[in-house]
């Protein structure tokens, strides 16, 4: 990952961002800044708006109101809770495809590097046939394509074993050490303690 700025500089921001699904308010108008060096934890009960906020920051959802601002040149990687890959492709085929979409200089090399990094099968086994933990590891691998400066991770360790969790936190430390940032949703108290900042959501509103 290329360094992007001085610690504390704003890389990504929600400005009075809100989201409705029909008549349901999923996220009330909210301000949130993601700064260089941040390990920002989004916490709150199920349905609080954490996943909605991450999807809005990632650009996967259009806000009903407000705007999401991204500093020029900043790339964002997103690992949603649900699999973001193609079930009828192997892990390696998925990574090759997404590496091309991420405009990796060498998609084949990038795919093979991430297969090794996340201990993914390099066979023709379809992604849809992988275990829940393996599918989550593939999600995380895809999020790292394109050398993103901001990683948005939705419950990233929920299906990972202890060794994979350790590796993920090492990756997060490297990310922030290079001037990038990580925003992750969690309900794990131990993981919240690893964060440099915490944003609490309740019923679609930022409460702290």
């Amino acid at each position: 990952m290329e360094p992007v700025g001085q610690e504390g500089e704003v890389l990504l921001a929600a400005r009075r961002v809100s989201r409705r699904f029909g008549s349901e308010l999923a996220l009330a108008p909210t301000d949130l800044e993601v700064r260089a060096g941040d390990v920002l934890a989004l916490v709150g009960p199920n349905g609080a708006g954490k996943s909605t906020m991450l999807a809005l920051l990632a650009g996967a959802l259009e806000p009903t109101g407000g705007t999401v601002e991204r500093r020029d040149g900043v790339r964002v990687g997103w690992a949603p809770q649900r699999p973001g890959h193609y079930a009828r492709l192997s892990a390696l085929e998925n990574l090759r495809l997404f590496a091309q979409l991420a405009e990796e200089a060498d998609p084949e090399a990038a795919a093979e590097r991430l297969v090794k990094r996340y201990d993914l099968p390099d066979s023709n086994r379809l992604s849809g046939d992988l275990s829940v933990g393996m599918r989550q590891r593939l999600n995380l691998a895809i999020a790292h394509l394109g050398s993103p400066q901001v990683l948005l991770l939705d419950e990233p360790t929920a299906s990972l074993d202890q060794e994979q969790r350790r590796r993920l936190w090492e990756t997060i430390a490297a990310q922030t050490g290079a001037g990038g940032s990580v925003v992750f949703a969690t309900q794990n108290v131990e993981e919240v303690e690893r964060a440099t900042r915490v944003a609490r959501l309740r019923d679609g509103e930022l409460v702290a």
Side-chain angles (χ1 to χ4, degrees):
M1 188 196 74
E2 299 175 1
V4 290
Q6 299 298 315
E7 185 172 356
E9 286 186 315
V10 176
L11 304 181
L12 186 65
R15 306 293 188 194
R16 303 302 293 166
V17 163
S18 65
R19 176 68 191 194
R20 286 186 176 274
F21 295 96
S23 61
E24 179 184 354
L25 180 65
L27 188 71
T30 300
D31 292 306
L32 186 69
E33 292 185 340
V34 182
R35 304 168 191 153
D38 270 350
V39 180
L40 173 59
L42 297 181
V43 300
N46 290 336
K50 303 186 299 296
S51 295
T52 300
M53 173 58 81
L54 287 173
L56 288 165
L57 290 173
L61 275 179
E62 288 291 330
T64 304
T67 59
V68 173
E69 299 175 358
R70 184 184 302 187
R71 181 179 164 184
D72 288 346
V74 168
R75 295 181 294 276
V76 174
W78 179 47
Q81 274 188 307
R82 294 183 178 181
H85 48 266
Y86 294 97
R88 296 187 65 81
L89 296 179
S90 70
L92 186 57
E93 287 169 336
N94 267 289
L95 286 167
R96 285 171 180 158
L97 173 61
F98 283 100
Q100 292 173 358
L101 295 175
E103 299 182 345
E104 286 277 0
D106 188 339
E108 182 69 26
E112 291 180 357
R113 181 180 69 250
L114 287 166
V115 161
K116 292 178 181 178
R117 181 175 177 181
Y118 282 94
D119 290 335
L120 293 165
D122 57 4
S123 65
N124 291 324
R125 187 178 175 190
L126 299 182
S127 298
D129 295 331
L130 298 177
S131 67
V132 173
M134 283 278 195
R135 292 199 297 271
Q136 176 65 351
R137 279 146 63 178
L138 177 55
N139 253 7
L140 291 168
I142 290 170
H144 280 87
L145 288 165
S147 299
Q149 289 92 359
V150 179
L151 281 174
L152 306 173
L153 311 177
D154 198 348
E155 302 280 357
T157 65
S159 304
L160 300 184
D161 60 30
Q162 185 174 355
E163 174 61 16
Q164 288 296 329
R165 290 183 183 188
R166 182 187 67 78
R167 291 187 185 185
L168 177 61
W169 285 109
E170 287 178 352
T171 298
I172 286 173
Q175 177 83 12
T176 56
S181 58
V182 177
V183 185
F184 68 101
T186 186
Q187 297 190 52
N188 186 313
V189 174
E190 293 182 1
E191 292 181 355
V192 174
E193 292 175 352
R194 293 176 178 267
T196 59
R197 295 171 56 213
V198 178
R200 290 180 170 82
L201 290 163
R202 182 185 302 136
D203 297 326
E205 295 187 4
L206 189 65
V207 296

